[in-house]
Structures are given as structure tokens and as C-alpha cells.
């Protein structure tokens, strides 16, 4: 590969700081590895004086292997590593830190679950809440906030987060364990208090190259600046438009202020994209231009035009997933390698509806981060217990799960046996003078007899609305909306099954399905099903984005302008994974909710040269149609199935995303 002028300028940079703005698919790995060779071969820098930092072990390993392959294994002394690996190495030398002192993820998860069990038991079995608090701890530590009162948690209330964090930090100290963020803070404190030790490491690493610089957090930046302080040979490579790890404390503002911290820094933009088609690149560029605080870039596509982007609008997620599966099946039947296809979702919870369809249609898939099991969620599990008991089950665990949901004032002592016999339960309750509880349980027994002859969809509806489970959820959870959505999802999943035992058999095989999916992911063969975040750094010929709707992308928790800006960057990342075809699906309805299309679809500015009479468009309310006439303020469209055309305010339709072209082609 020959270097383009911008790449060559970055590779041949000599002494001093440099910021390289590397857009998607612009060859940043090539630039970093070639620059390392240039330092060694042209500037006579010793390999062991060069440090290359990136954010994942996989990326560091891949970069090191590529460098050694390209250089013929001549320079093994160059250090390639993650922030954590580099700082662990420093602490290992200075503090005798060993791997036994590292707080592993599994131990961290167990500690947090125990703490939540003490403080707020109903949250302890929520995997997503545990993960959210873990990420909050990472963000808090990385922020270097001097005063807790100045820090505002995103994932939970202050009244919960700080007591959890206090107990978590105390238990880690008691066990002499440090997590990755502690390693950073220990290194930072070490360098601040011991300039002699800092000088040793500054001499050791006189040339520092940082990949994915947009993902750096304040503490990482502080340590890197200290390391580079003596030589100032800091070569930072990144793209502020791809800064999507705010939940880990990453801040694109660090990249934006780099020229202020280093006024003599040279800046170069890698503006040639070697991945995306011109259609994808222009559409993504028009989207990201809606973010204000960013480096302006003018990217060009080396691949030229390939195929227009399409914007299907489906009635609901069932029809959307059926269309997605049909589109993928057609690609596979035409000889497309499944590894060249990706289906991307904003969060992994949205994947749950598509994966069973892939299984039924024998579409091979790889899912590297399986969505949390729906069946294990604390709001869903009791409904399955209802179904198991209705189908003839007697397990004590199932009875304890349902007997007071809704509240029937039943005491656990009445359900002491491993196999529950209601006659024995009634006898115990009569002896204890709890006849009113017996009456409630007899009513429950009657409900279970009715449920047992229903199909699973009707049975779940009965449990929720007649037995009173929905009312119980609404009265016990401060925000029941997520639980209701999960119950809707369970009902939707149960539709194809004719009997309760048939559905329960499917549920019982969940572990087998997840094990198989994990094996497929390890083998790496199949259509990639990923979140937007997980797709970062990857590329595929054919990319499908699902559920491009408000409250999904941008996410419903993105309330502040800076959160919307990050959501837009995340959508930009997802779009620019595509090299040939890009399909952006939206739906009118998801579960029980009517949804609007994502504002990001409207921000993919439609060129005036394409919105002409005869062009096909899709409106979120009226569906597909054909443009008849357009002037400066209105557009007249005849929608399919309608005799009379409709006049729509064109600027407003573009702004709110309610009208999109059926296809988006690149134009001058």
C-alpha cells in the first residue's frame, strides 16, 4: 500500500507533538505501524524507547502482529499495550504489584451484587443494573472528580451510587485488591509524588503513540502527558466523531483541547476513506455535521459510488425482523459470505426478537455479546413460575416466586416442603388462623386451573391482567415501564407456541441456545449480530441497522445535548461500518408503543437534486409514495393506495425525519 500525502506527512513527522485526525477507514493502523518503522529506520530511535498504547488487548495484539509482519520481525523491542497493561507494568516494577492483586470482573460483579443485596435487594438480580453501576464506578474514578458533590451519576440516583461505591472501595481495600481504574490513579499519584521515578519512565518511553485517542479519559490523559512531559513526543491518533464511550469517562473535549495543551502541535487529517462507498460516506458526513463542537473534516471515498442507501419502514418489529431475515437469506443464497454481513442494534436487548428467527431459518450468526436472558429477569421469572405451576409443577421455588405477587399475605413457613401440596398448605394456614389467606390461595388455585388449558399468549395475558400481576408490578416498582416492556416481549415471544408445556420446553433450552451461540461466536462464522458499540473498528460489505427510532437511537436516557451528540456519533460509527450496502430500518410500532423514526434519519440531508418528481419516498405515517411536485416550501406526494395526493411542508419533513427517500444516492 502506497501512502497518500496526509498519511505520508503523519508517518514522517519528526520531533514534538502531533494530532492525527483519522476518519473511519482512513488507514490509521497503517500510519501508526509505518511511523514506528520510520522512527527506528530513519530517525535511529531505539525500539525499546517506543510505546504504542491502544484500548483493547485485541487491538494491541493485532497492531503488534502487523508491525512485526511488515518489518520482518526485526524490532521486537517496541512496546504495544493497553493503558492497563502499561500501567500494571509500571506498578509491577515500582510497587511489586502482582496479578493476584487485580480485582477480576467476576469478583467485582459478586461484590456489587452482595452490596446491592444489602442496600436495595430488588436490584441485586438485575444484570443490567449491576453493569450500569460498574460502569458508573469506572466513569467516576476516571473523572478524577475532586469532590463527590461535583459528580452527578448517570445510571442511578446519588443516594444509591455513593453508598454502593463507598462499600465497594472499602471491601476492595480490605482484600488488598485494585481494579483497572485504581491502577491508573496509583500510577498518576506515583508520578506526581516521585519525579525521580517519573524521569526514569520518561527516558524509557521517549516516543509515545496513542491509538483511538478520542476514547481517552481525563486520568489517562493526565498520565500520558506526564510520561510525554520531557520529550513531548506525543503522537495522538483518533477521530472526535467516533468518541462513543462517555459511559466509561471518555471525553472528546480532550481531543478538542489538544492544540491548546500543545500549541506547537502539528495537525493532519487522514481524509481518504478506503472502506465506505461514496453514498455511505456522504450520508454519514451529513449526519455528523449536525454536531457542533468537532473538528471539521472533508472526507472522500476511494471506492466511489456503489449502491444507494435504503430506508425501509416496517409496521412493527415482527415484520421488520422478517424482512431483515429475508434480505439476509437472499444475500446468502446469492453466494455472499455470511461473515460479510452485519445486523446492528443500539443495545443488545433489542436483539432478542431477531435471534430466534435466525435459529428457525437456519441463518448462521455470531453474537459476541449475547443479550441478557429475558427469562431470568426479575419481572419475567415469576410469570414463568405461574406457567410451570399451571402446567402441573409443584416446586417450592416456583410457589415462593408467585405466592405474594400480587400480595396474598402467605407466609413462607406454609411452603416448607420441596414439593408443594396445597392441601398441606391449607392445613398449616388453618392452624395458624389464616383463613383469609386460604381464601386468596383458593382463588389462585382456580386461576391456575383456568390458565392450564390456555395457549401461552392467552395465559400470560390472564396472569398480567386478571390475576393482577401488572398491578403488582406498577405498585412495587418506582418505574414499571421497562418491566412492562419485558412482559410484552415475553408475550410476543410466546405467540407461535400452542401449549404451555411446548413454550416451557423452549424456555428450558435457553442455556443450550446461549451455549451454541457462544460457540458460534468463538468460531467466528456467520452473520454478525452486534451493538453499535461492539461494531466499532469492524467493517462489513453489507450492514443493516435495526430500530432506527426515537427512544432507541437516540436512546431514551439521552436527555442532555451532550448525550444526544454522543448518540449521533454512535449512529455515525454504525453507518460507517458498511463498505457496499447500508440499510436503515425503522418501525411504526414496537411492542405496545407507537414510535417516531429517529431524528438521525432526518439529519441525513436529502440532496435537492434527488427529491424531484418521480422519486420514491417513504413517510412515517403515510408509507411509500411518489413525488409529483416540489417547490421551495411544499412537496406534493401521491402515496400508494391513495387517490388524492398530499401536500407536505418539505423543510419540516426533512427536519423531523418523517420523510425519507426510499433510496439515498451520492450526488455532487
Amino acid at each position: 500500500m502506497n501512502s497518500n500525502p496526509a498519511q505520508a506527512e503523519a508517518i514522517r513527522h519528526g520531533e514534538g507533538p502531533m494530532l492525527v485526525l483519522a476518519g473511519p477507514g482512513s488507514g490509521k493502523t497503517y500510519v501508526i505501524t509505518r511511523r514506528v518503522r520510520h522512527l527506528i529506520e530513519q530517525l535511529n530511535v531505539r525500539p525499546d524507547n517506543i510505546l504504542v498504547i491502544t484500548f483493547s488487548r485485541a487491538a494491541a495484539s493485532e497492531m503488534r502482529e502487523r508491525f512485526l509482519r511488515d518489518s520482518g520481525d526485526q524490532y521486537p523491542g517496541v512496546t504495544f499495550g493497553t493503558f492497563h497493561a502499561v500501567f500494571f507494568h509500571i506498578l509491577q516494577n515500582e510497587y511489586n504489584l502482582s496479578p493476584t492483586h487485580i480485582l477480576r470482573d467476576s469478583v467485582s460483579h459478586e461484590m456489587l451484587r452482595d452490596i446491592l443485596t444489602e442496600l436495595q435487594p430488588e436490584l441485586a438480580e438485575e444484570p443490567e443494573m449491576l453493569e450500569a453501576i460498574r460502569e458508573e464506578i469506572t466513569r467516576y474514578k476516571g473523572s478524577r472528580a475532586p469532590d463527590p458533590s461535583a459528580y452527578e451519576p448517570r445510571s442511578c440516583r446519588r443516594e444509591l451510587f455513593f453508598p454502593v461505591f463507598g462499600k465497594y472501595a472499602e471491601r476492595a481495600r480490605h482484600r488488598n485488591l485494585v481494579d483497572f481504574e485504581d491502577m491508573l490513579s496509583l500510577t498518576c499519584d506515583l508520578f506526581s509524588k516521585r519525579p525521580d521515578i517519573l524521569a526514569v519512565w520518561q527516558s524509557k518511553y521517549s516516543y509515545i503513540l496513542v491509538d483511538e485517542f478520542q476514547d481517552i479519559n481525563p486520568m489517562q490523559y493526565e498520565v500520558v502527558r506526564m510520561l510525554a512531559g520531557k520529550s513531548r513526543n506525543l503522537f495522538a491518533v483518533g477521530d472526535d466523531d467516533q468518541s462513543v464511550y462517555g459511559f466509561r469517562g471518555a471525553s472528546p473535549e480532550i481531543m478538542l483541547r489538544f492544540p491548546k495543551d500543545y500549541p506547537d502541535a502539528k495537525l493532519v487529517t487522514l481524509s481518504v476513506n478506503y472502506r465506505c462507498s461514496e453514498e455511505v460516506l456522504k450520508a454519514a458526513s451529513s449526519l455528523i455535521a449536525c454536531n457542533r463542537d468537532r473538528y471539521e473534516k472533508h472526507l472522500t471515498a476511494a471506492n466511489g459510488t456503489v449502491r444507494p442507501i435504503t430506508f425501509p419502514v416496517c409496521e412493527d418489529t415482527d415484520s421488520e425482523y422478517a424482512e431483515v431475515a429475508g434480505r439476509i437469506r437472499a444475500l446468502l443464497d446469492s453466494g455472499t459470505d455470511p461473515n460479510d454481513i452485519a445486523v446492528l442494534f443500539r443495545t443488545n436487548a433489542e436483539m432478542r426478537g431477531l435471534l430466534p428467527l435466525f435459529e428457525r431459518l437456519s441463518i448462521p450468526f455470531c453474537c459476541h455479546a449475547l443479550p441478557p436472558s429475558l427469562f431470568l429477569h426479575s419481572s419475567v421469572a415469576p410469570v414463568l413460575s405461574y406457567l410451570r405451576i399451571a402446567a402441573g409443577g409443584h416446586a417450592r421455588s416456583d410457589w415462593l416466586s408467585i405466592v405474594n405477587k400480587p400480595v396474598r399475605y402467605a407466609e413462607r413457613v406454609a411452603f416448607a416442603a420441596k414439593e408443594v401440596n396445597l392441601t398441606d398448605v391449607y392445613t398449616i394456614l388453618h392452624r395458624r388462623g389464616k383463613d383469609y389467606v386460604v381464601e386468596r390461595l383458593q382463588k389462585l388455585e382456580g386461576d391456575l386451573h383456568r390458565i392450564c388449558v390456555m395457549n401461552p399468549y392467552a395465559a400470560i395475558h390472564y396472569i398480567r391482567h386478571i390475576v393482577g400481576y401488572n398491578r403488582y408490578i406498577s405498585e412495587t416498582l418506582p418505574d414499571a415501564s421497562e418491566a412492562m416492556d419485558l412482559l410484552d416481549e415475553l408475550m410476543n415471544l410466546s405467540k407461535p407456541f400452542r401449549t404451555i408445556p411446548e413454550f416451557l420446553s423452549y424456555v428450558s433450552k435457553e442455556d443450550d441456545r446461549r451455549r451454541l451461540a457462544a460457540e458460534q461466536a468463538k468460531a467466528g462464522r456467520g452473520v454478525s449480530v452486534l451493538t453499535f458499540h461492539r461494531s466499532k473498528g469492524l467493517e462489513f460489505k453489507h450492514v443493516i441497522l435495526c430500530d432506527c427510532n426515537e427512544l432507541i437511537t437516540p436512546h431514551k436516557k439521552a436527555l442532555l445535548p451532550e448525550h444526544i451528540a454522543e448518540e449521533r456519533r454512535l449512529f455515525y460509527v454504525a453507518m460507517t461500518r458498511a463498505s457496499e450496502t447500508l440499510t436503515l430500518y425503522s418501525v411504526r410500532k414496537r411492542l405496545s408503543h407507537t414510535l417516531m423514526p429517529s431524528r438521525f434519519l432526518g439529519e441525513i440531508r436529502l440532496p435537492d437534486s434527488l427529491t424531484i418528481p418521480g422519486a420514491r419516498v417513504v413517510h412515517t405515517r403515510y408509507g411509500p409514495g411518489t413525488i409529483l411536485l416540489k417547490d421551495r416550501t411544499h412537496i406534493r406526494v401521491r402515496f400508494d393506495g391513495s387517490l388524492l395526493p398530499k401536500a407536505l411542508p418539505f423543510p419540516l419533513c426533512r427536519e423531523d425525519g418523517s420523510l425519507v427517500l426510499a433510496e439515498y444516492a451520492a450526488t455532487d
Side-chain angles (χ1 to χ4, degrees), residues 1-35:
M1 176 179 174
N2 294 323
S3 306
N4 64 43
Q7 290 174 331
E9 182 183 352
I11 290 167
R12 295 170 188 163
H13 173 65
E15 300 283 314
M18 173 174 263
L19 178 62
V20 180
L21 301 178
S26 60
K28 67 180 178 63
T29 302
Y30 167 79
V31 165
I32 292 172
T33 54
R34 288 302 297 266
R35 171 161 175 75

Side-chain angles (χ1 to χ4, degrees), residues 283-294:
S285 296
S286 70
L287 167 79
I288 201 62
C290 296
N291 275 356
R292 293 183 178 180
D293 298 325
R294 57 183 290 270

Side-chain angles (χ1 to χ4, degrees), residues 253-559:
E253 287 77 16
I254 293 173
M255 197 166 182
L256 291 169
R257 80 164 189 255
F258 189 88
K260 296 178 183 177
D261 293 337
Y262 295 96
D264 59 333
K266 300 232 177 116
L267 188 147
V268 64
T269 301
L270 306 183
S271 57
V272 180
N273 178 292
Y274 294 96
R275 175 193 303 150
C276 304
S277 68
E278 191 173 352
E279 293 92 343
V280 170
L281 192 62
K282 282 195 171 185
S285 296
S286 70
L287 167 79
I288 201 62
C290 296
N291 275 356
R292 293 183 178 180
D293 298 325
R294 57 183 290 270
Y295 289 103
E296 187 175 351
K297 308 172 189 72
H298 301 284
L299 307 180
T300 59
N303 294 340
T305 59
V306 177
R307 199 176 303 176
I309 300 169
T310 54
F311 299 80
V313 180
C314 296
E315 188 60 35
D316 54 29
T317 49
D318 285 347
S319 56
E320 176 192 28
Y321 296 158
E323 269 201 37
V324 168
R327 189 178 292 258
I328 291 173
R329 174 49 65 194
L331 284 170
L332 297 177
D333 291 345
S334 68
T336 301
D337 188 327
N339 284 21
D340 289 335
I341 306 170
V343 185
L344 308 184
F345 293 85
R346 172 60 184 84
T347 69
N348 60 5
E350 277 117 41
M351 300 174 188
R352 282 194 293 251
L354 181 64
L355 299 184
L357 184 59
F358 276 8
E359 292 169 4
R360 289 200 296 272
L361 298 178
S362 299
I363 294 176
F365 68 90
C366 298
C367 188
H368 293 275
L370 287 169
S373 175
L374 174 69
F375 308 133
L376 296 179
H377 195 280
S378 60
S379 298
V380 171
V383 175
L384 298 175
S385 291
Y386 268 105
L387 295 180
R388 281 191 287 268
I389 294 172
H394 300 281
R396 178 176 184 262
S397 58
D398 281 331
W399 273 102
L400 291 177
S401 176
I402 73 163
V403 70
N404 283 313
K405 297 176 184 174
V407 175
R408 299 181 180 92
Y409 304 101
E411 298 170 312
R412 294 174 67 92
V413 68
F415 296 86
K418 286 183 66 176
E419 295 288 314
V420 173
N421 183 315
L422 277 183
T423 302
D424 296 338
V425 171
Y426 295 154
T427 301
I428 293 170
L429 291 172
H430 279 308
R431 286 176 186 161
R432 298 174 65 86
K434 306 286 185 178
D435 292 350
Y436 63 96
V437 178
V438 172
E439 290 176 10
R440 286 170 169 77
L441 291 181
Q442 286 173 337
K443 183 180 184 307
L444 170 60
E445 189 176 10
D447 286 330
L448 292 169
H449 282 306
R450 295 183 190 92
I451 291 168
C452 74
V453 296
M454 298 177 182
N455 64 50
Y457 182 88
I460 297 170
H461 183 276
Y462 188 94
I463 293 164
R464 294 179 65 183
H465 298 284
I466 306 302
V467 175
Y469 188 71
N470 268 18
R471 187 175 64 254
Y472 166 80
I473 290 291
S474 299
E475 291 172 351
T476 54
L477 294 182
D479 180 7
S481 59
E482 182 186 358
M484 294 303 180
D485 285 348
L486 293 170
L487 293 170
D488 287 345
E489 190 177 339
L490 182 71
M491 287 182 69
N492 201 48
L493 186 64
S494 72
K495 280 181 182 177
F497 299 93
R498 293 172 298 173
T499 66
I500 291 175
E502 185 183 350
F503 179 55
L504 290 174
S505 175
Y506 172 82
V507 171
S508 68
K509 294 172 183 172
E510 171 80 345
D511 287 344
D512 293 337
R513 287 192 297 274
R514 295 177 74 85
R515 194 178 304 111
L516 177 61
E519 290 170 0
Q520 288 176 325
K522 192 173 182 181
R525 296 294 302 173
V527 175
S528 291
V529 184
L530 302 163
T531 62
F532 292 179
H533 280 105
R534 281 265 177 174
S535 73
K536 189 169 178 290
L538 305 176
E539 60 181 85
F540 306 90
K541 289 183 179 178
H542 309 282
V543 171
I544 297 169
L545 272 60
C546 287
D547 303 333
C548 299
N549 291 89
E550 290 290 306
L551 304 181
I552 297 175
T553 177
H555 196 272
K556 61 185 178 182
K557 292 183 179 178
L559 303 176

Side-chain angles (χ1 to χ4, degrees), residues 21-28 212-216 237-246 250-252 255 270 273 275-276 281 288 291 294 297 299 532-533 535-538 565-566 568-577:
L21 301 178
S26 60
K28 67 180 178 63
E212 304 285 8
F213 191 70
Q214 74 280 350
D215 294 334
I216 202 166
V237 183
D239 181 7
D240 55 312
D241 289 334
Q242 297 187 71
S243 179
V244 296
Y245 292 115
S251 173
M255 197 166 182
L270 306 183
N273 178 292
R275 175 193 303 150
C276 304
L281 192 62
I288 201 62
N291 275 356
R294 57 183 290 270
K297 308 172 189 72
L299 307 180
F532 292 179
H533 280 105
S535 73
K536 189 169 178 290
L538 305 176
E566 177 159 324
R568 188 175 288 110
R569 292 193 294 268
L570 188 56
F571 202 81
Y572 173 80
V573 166
M575 290 179 68
T576 53
R577 301 310 94 197

